[in-house]
Amino acid sequence: MHITTEIRGTAATLTPRGDIDYQHLDQLRATVQQLPTSVTDVSWDLRDAPFVDVAGLHLLSTPSDPRRGTSLANLQPQHRRLLTIACELFPDADFDRYLSGSGAHQAA
């Protein structure tokens, strides 16, 4: 998996290329951990991630700096379905914020 990191001010956009699964979970987490402490907003751009399994939910549930917000962009139908199911199964996990956030726009 290749992950592009773009930092603009206090915001970072991370764009993984490839499937988000357990094989890549440690690499994805490490990418977030390596961001400068000045980054307070992280956006995962999923346009080049054709498939996300439960590892993606684990990534979103990984405790991080409480001052750092996380959002998703360019959700594909499969990503939305996974999040919708997660919302139904784990209503207290707050996965719905990734479906309703302003950055959760669908890929064109």
Side-chain angles (χ1 to χ4, degrees):
M1 169 172 285
H2 178 74
I3 305 168
T4 301
T5 301
E6 182 180 335
I7 299 174
R8 290 189 179 162
T10 61
T13 300
L14 307 176
T15 307
R17 286 176 178 72
D19 293 342
I20 296 177
D21 53 23
Y22 271 109
Q23 178 182 355
H24 299 108
L25 185 56
D26 288 339
Q27 179 185 3
L28 293 159
R29 285 179 172 158
T31 301
V32 174
Q33 291 171 350
Q34 294 170 1
L35 291 172
T37 57
S38 60
V39 171
T40 58
D41 295 298
V42 176
S43 175
W44 288 97
D45 184 342
L46 301 180
R47 70 177 151 218
D48 294 325
F51 175 78
V52 178
D53 71 10
V54 71
L57 300 177
H58 284 277
L59 178 65
L60 294 174
S61 299
T62 301
S64 64
D65 186 333
R67 297 168 290 174
R68 186 175 277 169
T70 302
S71 62
L72 301 177
N74 294 312
L75 295 176
Q76 306 294 328
Q78 188 270 328
H79 308 145
R80 288 184 177 283
R81 181 71 180 134
L82 176 66
L83 286 167
T84 300
I85 292 170
C87 289
E88 292 171 7
L89 294 174
F90 310 105
D92 296 332
D94 200 25
F95 288 119
D96 57 333
R97 68 185 163 124
Y98 297 109
L99 289 170
S100 59
S102 62
H105 57 280
Q106 194 163 349

